[in-house]
Amino acid sequence: MPEFLHTRIRIGDIDRTVAFYEPLGFRVTKRTDKSPAGNQLVFLEIPGNAHRLELCYSPDYMPEVPEDLMHTAIGYPDLVAKCDELEKLGYEIWPADWRTTLPSGRKMAFVTDPDGYEVELLERA
């Protein structure tokens, strides 16, 4: 049976992007200074998850991510607490009124990474 291993995104700065994803629950599992194609790669994981996020940096390629091109999604048991924590770290949670527009049921919000990729934050029981 096939296994879904990772998703790769192009980024403009490895350290900045890793620093963005760490408070979301990711940790670095592998770092390669030069892939066969000449790129710098960093693999991130959320402990307990098999799927990885591959960050790909090349100094001759600057990403321009169109709005709403794609997004990743992460589930948290208490989304309000997680968003409070992220806001204290300077993250902009959107839409700005997410707390009032989704007062009951499963909550969701978004953050945007430094290169423009959207990350959906979902409340998971």
Side-chain angles (χ1 to χ4, degrees):
M1 176 185 298
E3 181 181 358
F4 190 27
L5 300 174
H6 67 267
T7 300
R8 176 178 127 171
I9 60 173
R10 288 280 197 161
I11 59 167
D13 183 299
I14 285 182
D15 293 330
R16 176 186 69 182
T17 304
V18 168
F20 174 87
Y21 280 97
E22 286 178 333
L24 298 178
F26 287 89
R27 69 176 184 195
V28 174
T29 61
K30 182 178 178 184
R31 193 174 192 131
T32 303
D33 289 329
K34 191 166 186 174
S35 72
N39 301 309
Q40 292 180 20
L41 304 175
V42 173
F43 286 85
L44 302 176
E45 73 168 7
I46 294 177
N49 291 258
H51 192 83
R52 306 286 184 264
L53 181 61
E54 176 186 352
L55 307 178
C56 178
Y57 170 75
S58 177
D60 61 345
Y61 182 88
M62 283 295 116
E64 292 184 29
V65 180
E67 184 178 333
D68 204 25
L69 173 67
M70 55 87 62
H71 73 265
T72 54
I74 306 168
Y76 300 97
D78 184 344
L79 186 60
V80 173
K82 186 63 183 180
C83 288
D84 287 344
E85 172 191 324
L86 292 172
E87 285 178 325
K88 287 177 186 170
L89 294 172
Y91 286 68
E92 181 181 335
I93 311 296
W94 59 274
D97 63 348
W98 73 271
R99 284 180 172 91
T100 57
T101 57
L102 300 168
S104 62
R106 192 169 86 174
K107 294 175 177 55
M108 62 182 266
F110 290 86
V111 293
T112 304
D113 89 355
D115 293 295
Y117 296 102
E118 297 172 0
V119 180
E120 185 176 4
L121 311 174
L122 296 169
E123 186 161 275
R124 307 277 296 185

